[in-house]
Amino acid sequence: NRVLPVEKDIFSHAVHQMIIRGFQVYAWMPTLSIVLPDGGLNQRYRVKEYAEGKVRTSTSWYHRLTPFSDEVQKRLCMLYEDLAFGSQINGILFQDDAYLTDREDFHPLAWNHFQEAVGRSLTMDEISKDSDLQRQWTTFKTRKLIDFTGELKKSVLKFRPQARFARNLYANVLINPRSQTWFAQNYDDFHNAYDHVVVMAYPQLEKAEQPVAWIRALAAKAAASPTFLEKTIFKLQTYDWHKSAWVDDSLLLKEMRTALAVGVRHLAYYPDNLWHDRPDLGTIMLEMSTQTSPKVK
């Protein structure tokens, strides 16, 4: 591609082998968290946060570039366009790096655009003190991230006109309405913008004391909008990163069945270790398989 160095083209060959075996293949792609070969550009366009009375480079877990930069958008569009040109993908899953916290993005490019949008000069402290401004700030960033991915979609559609698009959504956005402020994500807006919404249903990551009950509550939030269920995918957690251990297969099966019982129609899981059969295929295929009588170990 024209953006990042590639050691060897393995991806397109893997996609081809899956396609000829009847799979649909989505490329799970970063949206903002790429490291450009040009270190100067990386530093110039990093997402900024406002904390302790000053603007600084974001300290969040992802190395992200601001979506308010035309240069960043141009390079990401090139990357996606080259991916679509060189591989037979059926679609794209936008990574969960497409978020901005309430303290982000105070990059000068973003801040200048926001002041233009509200029609007056602002101090950064005003955002936290004025609830109406805070709502505008959150909506402004939420819309920008959707528009940014919209340009990436156009780049893919040039060569893959039938491609479909999904985007990861943090579970808290469904559970707590205030979470849009913390992520610049919105469940309703996602359903209008993408073919699928992938809810990150990770109870262990969220340190839920009762994972099954947590899944039930999350699924109920999704089911509150029945028309959205056809486009909603529940991506369940199979590995507990806090404990460095795989989630028990029987618990994972309970979580799957709980989500389905509440009304969820589509399930996914992450991660997968095929070398050690984790999660156990014989267990999860009881709900994941499309066969009417799946073979069980």
Side-chain angles (χ1 to χ4, degrees), residues 169-180 183 185-187:
L169 178 83
Y170 285 99
N172 273 330
V173 176
L174 265 177
I175 296 171
N176 184 351
R178 288 190 59 205
S179 292
Q180 182 178 351
F183 296 103
Q185 296 184 349
N186 180 282
Y187 185 55

Side-chain angles (χ1 to χ4, degrees), residues 147-198:
D147 291 345
F148 187 88
T149 57
E151 293 303 311
L152 301 181
K153 287 163 62 175
K154 291 178 185 177
S155 298
V156 172
L157 291 170
K158 287 181 183 178
F159 297 105
R160 303 291 161 190
Q162 304 304 316
R164 296 174 68 80
F165 300 90
R167 183 173 164 191
N168 278 334
L169 178 83
Y170 285 99
N172 273 330
V173 176
L174 265 177
I175 296 171
N176 184 351
R178 288 190 59 205
S179 292
Q180 182 178 351
T181 302
W182 308 329
F183 296 103
Q185 296 184 349
N186 180 282
Y187 185 55
D188 291 11
D189 290 347
F190 273 32
H191 277 280
N192 292 327
Y194 309 104
D195 298 295
H196 303 288
V197 180
V198 183

